[in-house]
Amino acid sequence: MDIIRFSKFAIVFCVFTSCVSENKLEKEITKIPVEVKIERFDQLFAKVTEETLPELKEGFPFLFPKQYSDSTWIKRANDTLQIEINREVKKTFPDLLSEEEDLRSLLQHIKYYFPEVTVPRAIAITSDVDYRNKIVLSGNLLIISLDTYLGEDHYFYEGIQAYLKRNFKKSQIMPDIATMYAKQLVELPKNRTFLANLIYYGKEMYLKKIFLPNQSDAEKMGYSDEQYAWLEANEEQIWRYFIDRQLLYSTGNNLMPRFLYPAPFSKFYLEEIDKEAPDRVGQYIGWRIVASYMKNNNVSLRQLLMADAETIFNTSKYKPAR
């Protein structure tokens, strides 16, 4: 009985100590000076006239390709579809105060681990629902297409596949931005093996985990709670599938779209699994391997980013949850 009591005490103590440590870390992070304002280009463009267009172009020259004449921009601003987009965006985003606060917190976390990262000029636009470029991070510019975050049931998205539009919602703005920063920090795989790609996405997800501590793991991956719960419950079966079919060192071109890229579901080619499995299960497994590596090795975050996939895998001591 004494041993049992001691074990319970030890667990409670460890949890308490971990919470104290995390709270201390968060207090340090909140002290990092970051000033961010999301400029509402979408609203400025909605009100543009022939007289005010030159000033707008001067303020945002990168949003006005030179091959288009001024009359083209005025015509677009007065287009009935553009006016409708403006109206719908204004309904969902009358202001961006909460998004600015979330972005400030995200950038504080990024700068805590990577001080060299600069605070970008953040600009909100509309893009005719260009969902392949919801977030653009280029140099010191961060561009957010608000019309791709109006809610998955918005009528603008009729005809778009469900697995894509399920993340066309406000709560995915910060995970999408975090993804763009992670992609700038994580080197592309050095070879074409499935394992190298698993670890690549695992590193991305590990960064997103520490950049967004207040968002759920499901949101970080763009899953519903039910989809994420399925992954947790079936982690061992997914891993066993990869091992039994000797996929880790395979360079088959079909593995990435089957298990790593956005899709309606992951393709195990097993009817009973494919009906329930969400897409990108390989990213989840890669994340679990990277997390195990960081837990079982005394290495820094920068050392993680420099480590190759084979080293990470071989020293991770990864064991799937049962």
Side-chain angles (χ1 to χ4, degrees), residues 3 53 60 78 81 87 91 121 132 137 152 161 207 213 244 254 261 284:
I3 294 176
L53 180 59
F60 302 86
N78 294 318
L81 177 58
R87 183 180 67 245
K91 285 181 187 176
R121 181 183 179 186
R132 299 187 188 280
L137 180 62
E152 62 181 303
Q161 290 178 284
L207 288 182
D244 288 348
N254 70 332
Y261 297 164
Y284 175 78

Side-chain angles (χ1 to χ4, degrees), residues 121-140:
R121 181 183 179 186
I123 301 169
I125 68 168
T126 60
S127 62
D128 292 334
V129 192
D130 181 9
Y131 60 84
R132 299 187 188 280
N133 294 288
K134 296 165 72 181
I135 302 292
V136 174
L137 180 62
S138 177
N140 198 42

Side-chain angles (χ1 to χ4, degrees), residues 19 45 70 79 81 84 136 143 161 193 255 274 305:
C19 288
F45 187 72
D70 286 0
D79 181 77
L81 177 58
E84 186 176 6
V136 174
I143 299 176
Q161 290 178 284
T193 66
L255 292 176
D274 286 353
L305 297 183

